[in-house]
Amino acid sequence: MTVAFPEQQRASGAAAFGRFSPDQALRIFDRTVGSGHEPGVIEVAPRTWWIQPGMVNVALFETDEGLLLVDCGCAGDGPALLDTVRRLSDKPLHTVVYTHAHCDHAFGLWSFVEAGETPEVVAHANLPAHLRRYLRTPGYNARINGQIAAADGTRWFESEDAVVWPTRLFGDTLELEIGGERFVVRHGKGETDDAAWVWAPERRVIAAGDLVTGYLPNAGNPRKVQRYAEEWADAADQMAELRPAVVIPGHGDPVTDADAILDELGAMSRYLRIIVDHALAGLNAGVLPDTIVDTLEIPTELREHPRLAPLYDQPEFICRNVIRRYGGWWDGYPSHLLPAPQHVQAAEVAELAGGVDVLVERARALAAGVAAGTGTAADLRLACHLAEWAFLADRSDAGARAAYRDVLEQAARGQLGLMAQLNLRTSAQWVRDAERAERAQRA
């Protein structure tokens, strides 16, 4: 089965995740599918390595007693990671720290276990519940993450045997002593509520997990569970207070300049706090969520910061996530509290407009103006609404299908962030679903 992976998404994935592979991204729990890349290795401090087997980074600390491994990549990264670690050191694997339970960070350890390693596996106390939430939502997560079935038919984390479970849980802080050296594991909510980071004080190295990624924090993902922007800023401040010489991020290149590290952590904290403060001020003043998001302003020096580019998430999404956390699911418009079904609304709009063709024509005209440089970003957003109304009003209309697919694709191509691209392209999937249903009905 050949699956199209848009070139723009491929480019964004590579920019955000380094040794990114579309094949692996589509089969992220498949132990037989690696990244296809030679793992990257940099010795960032004595006996301390940044390893990038695929889309995620791993930190390796060698001590006289054994190895400390922070994260272990995707399921398919296991063999390459094991081989890389064994080329760097023959010390036994003493301890593994999971920075969180995401599929690209905590599923490659099986390869070490099958090779006879018996490490202690450390994680935050919230991590088992995170994994069990995965077990309860395999269909949902497989769908929103675009997963293809592995050889065994699974598309997501569906069995407890698919992961090496933690053997030691901690709350706020855990101090480890390995080979006479101290390592401090800290909890810090951010992308998840089970996030952790590791501080090696004698080496002045932080293994940050996804609390540092080299791009704008993934604190507003539209289809994922709650993120924690304010606590993410707190974690950045706590890291900065330690004055690290090296940060090994969860994705992207390591940072080995102390001044650059402080600049990035400080900018990240300010960026997130501006969004949180703006959202809370709006909520407290009774401003509608849409208006709160529309009036969000990020200072130019933060929007243009080279380590905070919106490659994955974007500030508007983070703002909405803050609103969701402190408010409710309702967006404040009275008619949206008990709404008519979307297809019913769309059919009424189409009838009032004079037909689906009228909506399609107007949507395409607006989109064409944007493409020609005479329209605005607001015009393209309006065109998306019009195209969607046309499609929902009559999913069998060929013109509506084409407009919905084309206009939303144009909108997706105008976005840098991977989450905006992926979710705007949901329109193409809906069109394919409608075409498939129509073919099945005719058969």
Side-chain angles (χ1 to χ4, degrees):
M1 177 181 180
T2 301
V3 177
F5 202 93
E7 186 59 35
Q8 180 198 20
Q9 287 175 209
R10 186 191 300 262
S12 293
F17 302 131
R19 287 166 172 79
F20 175 79
S21 161
D23 288 340
Q24 186 176 47
L26 295 169
R27 300 171 179 85
I28 208 161
F29 285 98
D30 192 333
R31 292 182 177 184
T32 69
V33 181
S35 72
H37 299 284
E38 182 70 21
V41 178
I42 299 175
E43 187 170 10
V44 294
R47 305 174 77 185
T48 307
W49 293 272
W50 164 93
I51 304 173
Q52 189 180 71
M55 68 179 73
V56 71
N57 297 335
V58 174
L60 179 66
F61 299 89
E62 183 186 61
T63 76
D64 292 339
E65 188 177 355
L67 302 174
L68 168 61
L69 190 69
V70 181
D71 283 338
C72 53
C74 302
D77 291 330
L81 180 60
L82 173 62
D83 179 68
T84 301
V85 168
R86 285 293 152 241
R87 283 191 284 107
L88 295 172
S89 175
D90 61 0
K91 299 288 186 184
L93 184 59
H94 185 283
T95 301
V96 176
V97 174
Y98 291 156
T99 64
H100 58 300
H102 274 170
C103 49
D104 54 338
H105 289 261
F107 285 83
L109 189 56
W110 65 272
S111 191
F112 290 82
V113 173
E114 288 192 358
E117 301 280 4
T118 57
E120 181 171 63
V121 181
V122 174
H124 185 260
N126 290 339
L127 185 139
H130 185 160
L131 289 174
R132 292 191 174 97
R133 175 172 52 79
Y134 268 1
L135 288 170
R136 296 184 68 187
T137 56
Y140 174 76
N141 274 293
R143 185 172 63 258
I144 67 172
N145 288 284
Q147 295 298 290
I148 298 171
D152 63 1
T154 61
R155 297 171 60 209
W156 196 252
F157 176 50
E158 298 181 21
S159 167
E160 290 197 1
D161 295 337
V163 71
V164 179
W165 288 80
T167 58
R168 185 176 185 181
L169 301 176
F170 76 99
D172 182 59
T173 303
L174 174 66
E175 294 202 5
L176 303 172
E177 185 175 315
I178 308 172
E181 185 175 355
R182 187 167 65 100
F183 296 89
V184 183
V185 189
R186 296 285 303 272
H187 176 226
K189 289 183 179 181
E191 188 177 14
T192 63
D193 67 357
D194 61 340
W197 52 282
V198 178
W199 165 235
E202 294 181 24
R203 309 182 193 210
R204 294 186 62 214
V205 175
I206 288 175
D210 279 358
L211 290 166
V212 179
T213 57
Y215 49 84
L216 183 67
N218 178 21
N221 199 309
R223 302 181 78 174
K224 302 294 179 69
V225 298
Q226 185 65 54
R227 269 62 170 140
Y228 302 91
E230 192 162 16
E231 290 89 337
W232 204 322
D234 292 341
D237 290 341
Q238 291 162 9
M239 291 182 198
E241 289 174 2
L242 298 172
R243 297 295 191 269
V246 175
V247 169
I248 300 175
H251 298 280
D253 296 332
V255 188
T256 57
D257 179 274
D259 290 338
I261 290 169
L262 291 180
D263 174 68
E264 178 178 354
L265 294 173
M268 184 195 310
S269 176
R270 291 196 305 277
Y271 202 134
L272 292 172
R273 293 190 194 283
I274 286 171
I275 296 173
V276 172
D277 291 347
H278 175 78
L280 291 178
L283 287 173
N284 285 323
V287 179
L288 286 172
D290 281 353
T291 304
I292 294 174
V293 174
D294 287 343
T295 56
L296 175 66
E297 294 184 4
I298 303 297
T300 301
E301 68 272 14
L302 295 179
R303 276 196 176 270
E304 297 181 356
H305 194 285
R307 296 279 293 181
L308 292 173
L311 294 175
Y312 192 82
D313 213 333
Q314 54 200 70
E316 296 84 356
F317 295 168
I318 298 174
C319 189
R320 289 197 183 277
N321 215 315
V322 175
I323 294 168
R324 177 177 71 166
R325 180 181 183 184
Y326 289 98
W329 57 263
W330 182 37
D331 63 6
Y333 292 100
S335 67
H336 293 179
L337 188 62
L338 295 167
Q342 287 290 324
H343 72 278
V344 173
Q345 295 182 44
E348 184 70 11
V349 169
E351 183 174 348
L352 292 171
V356 166
D357 291 348
V358 177
L359 296 178
V360 168
E361 182 180 358
R362 179 59 175 160
R364 287 202 176 278
L366 287 169
V370 173
T374 59
T376 67
D379 289 336
L380 187 55
R381 293 188 180 191
L382 180 56
C384 290
H385 286 294
L386 292 165
E388 188 163 82
W389 285 332
F391 174 76
L392 294 178
D394 186 357
R395 294 181 186 230
S396 68
D397 186 278
R401 288 175 181 173
Y404 193 35
R405 182 182 55 241
D406 296 347
V407 172
L408 274 291
E409 173 61 24
Q410 181 178 337
R413 289 185 177 277
Q415 297 294 322
L416 177 63
L418 192 58
M419 285 301 95
Q421 295 171 31
L422 284 168
N423 289 308
L424 286 167
R425 289 188 172 112
T426 300
S427 62
Q429 181 60 56
W430 285 16
V431 169
R432 288 193 294 270
D433 290 345
E435 292 170 343
R436 188 179 302 114
E438 187 176 88
R439 288 194 298 270
Q441 190 174 24
R442 288 199 303 263

